[in-house]
Amino acid sequence: MNGLVNSADICTGLVIGIHKKELDFGKQVAAILPETDIRTVQIDQGLPQQESFNRRGYYYSTFHREIYLQLHQQVKNKIDLMIDLHTGINESGRCADIFCNDDYMLEMIEKTLNKSKINFSEDSQAVRLFKITDVSPKEPVSSSSSFPVCHTIIPGSVWESANYTYVGLEIYLQKAGKGKQADWDYGAKLAKIIINAKQ
């Protein structure tokens, strides 16, 4: 793990490369963002494709957990906001999902998104917001949240940290790879919206 620090007085961390195949996309997005406002935490030895574990899911899960626990130890007293950048595939067009366990943060992101009109862009579909929860499917979900809930295998010490606010950002590209300029601009714009929502 390699934490590349862009400034000594930073409160936002952009995590790139948790999955090896996402690192090049993350580097492109990080290059667009203002260097003085964000600490880029680059994972140089991220997770390989899950298929490469050849039905050894336990090892994949352990590796995944260890990366996040090390990340948490590295940043927990250095940032107020963690943006965990990932990519996925959506052949019908570019879009994004944002994950957080903080209802207030999700509400602020939603307001900022609506002001930016990013949800109405011609070249991108809507951004969906999800509340991370550890409630099991058998337990009743609190109706106090207006956001659909989701579960994650990311350790709770990360997504419900008392030291920083965790926000997962998944950018869906039309095909596998590092994306193109419009994808990087889109990812950077959403990262800025998340940062503005925190302020």
Side-chain angles (χ1 to χ4, degrees), residues 26-40:
K27 285 180 179 178
Q28 297 296 331
V29 171
I32 296 169
L33 293 166
E35 292 183 12
T36 55
D37 297 340
I38 298 169
R39 173 184 181 185
T40 300

Side-chain angles (χ1 to χ4, degrees), residues 19-139:
H19 297 95
K20 253 184 210 178
K21 65 181 177 129
E22 300 169 343
L23 182 57
D24 288 338
F25 175 82
K27 285 180 179 178
Q28 297 296 331
V29 171
I32 296 169
L33 293 166
E35 292 183 12
T36 55
D37 297 340
I38 298 169
R39 173 184 181 185
T40 300
V41 182
Q42 181 174 311
I43 312 299
D44 291 320
Q45 298 299 320
L47 280 160
Q49 296 274 27
Q50 190 166 0
E51 296 78 28
S52 68
F53 283 82
N54 193 22
R55 290 179 287 201
R56 293 176 294 168
Y58 170 78
Y59 296 103
Y60 179 84
S61 298
T62 301
F63 191 177
H64 185 277
R65 180 175 179 77
E66 284 306 310
I67 283 180
Y68 274 104
L69 291 176
Q70 287 178 35
L71 174 65
H72 174 70
Q73 289 302 318
Q74 182 178 353
V75 304
K76 69 179 180 180
N77 296 314
K78 298 175 184 158
I79 61 170
D80 296 324
L81 172 65
M82 178 194 290
I83 301 174
D84 184 16
L85 183 63
H86 295 276
T87 61
I89 305 296
N90 180 32
E91 293 177 357
S92 64
R94 184 186 312 109
C95 58
D97 289 339
I98 296 175
F99 309 90
C100 184
N101 81 316
D102 183 331
D103 278 301
Y104 181 74
M105 182 66 177
L106 287 169
E107 287 167 10
M108 292 299 99
I109 292 170
E110 186 174 53
K111 283 182 184 174
T112 311
L113 275 171
N114 290 338
K115 283 181 190 171
S116 75
K117 303 266 193 276
I118 198 166
N119 273 346
F120 308 105
S121 170
E122 289 179 10
D123 65 342
S124 300
Q125 299 176 25
V127 178
R128 301 180 304 176
L129 303 174
F130 295 90
K131 178 181 171 75
I132 303 172
T133 180
D134 58 2
V135 176
S136 78
K138 294 179 182 176
E139 295 179 48

